[in-house]
Amino acid sequence: MTTRINAGFIAGSFAAIAALSLATAGVAAAQEAWTPQYVDGKLQPLPDGFPNQSISLVVLDEPGSSDGVYARDMQSALRDISPVAIDIIDRGEVGTYPTWEALGWSADQSDGDQGYFPIVYVLPGSILDLLTVPIERDLSVTMDDLNFVNVTEVTPYVVTSRKDAPWGNSFEKMVEYVKANPGTVKYLSRSPGSGGYTAMERYSELKGLEFDKKVGGSHNEIQSAIGAGVADIGITQVETAMTHWEAGKIEILMVTGDQRAAAPWAEVPSAADMGMPGEPWAQNRGFAVNKAVPDTHRQWLFELFKAGSDTQAFKDARTRLPGNALVMLDHDQTRAMADKAKEIAEPVIRKLGIHWDQQK
């Protein structure tokens, strides 16, 4: 069953959308001129012939990563819908700014300016890169270069704890303990500026928490350390948390966002339950293309991915993750979400002293 998530944040995003300017007259005319057509269940190409060759979904990680699995679920869903083959390119962990470098890479491919290389991206993670590393200076790209096609799902982060901690599996009791014992609870995180790190900094600010912060390791390594009692608290992806929780190694204290997860974590409180509604900390996942791609091609891709997301097989595959919610945000809605996430994150990043213009 499809559930709703981050309702407060998405509502806030829609308020921001209202403040955005309307699409240009040329785009509006193109939208009016083209109506999606299906023949025997297949989405038909645009009048200009797009697409007339295979479309490659670009994964900026390994095949078994969250993005890699997502791309393969979409590829499977599109098998009977797309008029052309859907391939996958796994780029691995390439470069310092993988999302932003991939935009240039896609534009350099044959017909890369037409929309044949949609990139899997995650908000707000990719937007945080703009704050923590000098992407605009080094690559001459800005937010405008990330040409959003959509967001199709929202997956919360999960706040985890070691077993047998004084607070048990209660986020509220953890807050009480940390406030009573400032600087003693060991919090282990990935690199500063990552989505989870920034989320936990924001929550710590809202709740007045002071941890003994340590940085280093992959999501899996960090949760293994928490499971072994080397660290007390962490924040991670749903898939990683599930693996260690099912093994009985960690406790789940909270899921980010405004809505609780589904079973088996239905009793785990959300950030909104803990008095922190409307926060953008989650993995909002979808596809983007480079800025040169024509608007009508981007709109065609939106229709394609929307049709794939509507299949029962895709819904079943994606909602197996507790708390994973299917949504369908278009280009303008996604841009509003990105703008809001950047607005909320920037003061947090600056307070940490890790904004790119604060670094020597």
Side-chain angles (χ1 to χ4, degrees), residues 10 17 86-87 92 99-100 113 145 171 236 247 251 253 265 281 295 316 324 329 338:
I10 290 177
I17 292 164
I86 303 295
D87 300 327
T99 300
W100 305 94
D113 60 352
D145 290 272
F171 185 87
T236 192
E251 299 283 5
L253 302 186
W265 295 341
W281 313 114
D295 290 342
D316 290 345
N324 201 33
L329 305 184

Side-chain angles (χ1 to χ4, degrees), residues 168-247:
N169 65 354
S170 169
F171 185 87
E172 287 180 306
K173 290 182 179 179
M174 183 273 290
V175 169
E176 293 174 2
Y177 186 92
V178 173
K179 285 184 173 180
N181 302 274
T184 63
V185 174
K186 295 181 176 64
Y187 162 56
L188 184 57
S189 171
R190 298 194 74 195
S191 60
S194 64
Y197 185 97
T198 307
M200 203 64 177
E201 286 296 324
R202 172 70 169 171
Y203 294 145
S204 297
E205 180 181 274
L206 292 173
K207 292 296 185 181
L209 305 179
E210 181 184 344
F211 292 103
D212 176 12
K213 293 186 289 188
K214 307 293 182 184
V215 176
S218 66
H219 281 288
N220 187 62
E221 289 168 340
I222 289 170
Q223 295 308 308
S224 294
I226 293 171
V230 176
D232 300 312
I233 295 289
I235 187 168
T236 192
Q237 300 168 337
V238 167
E239 302 96 313
T240 306
M242 180 61 74
T243 297
H244 293 267
W245 179 78
E246 287 182 333

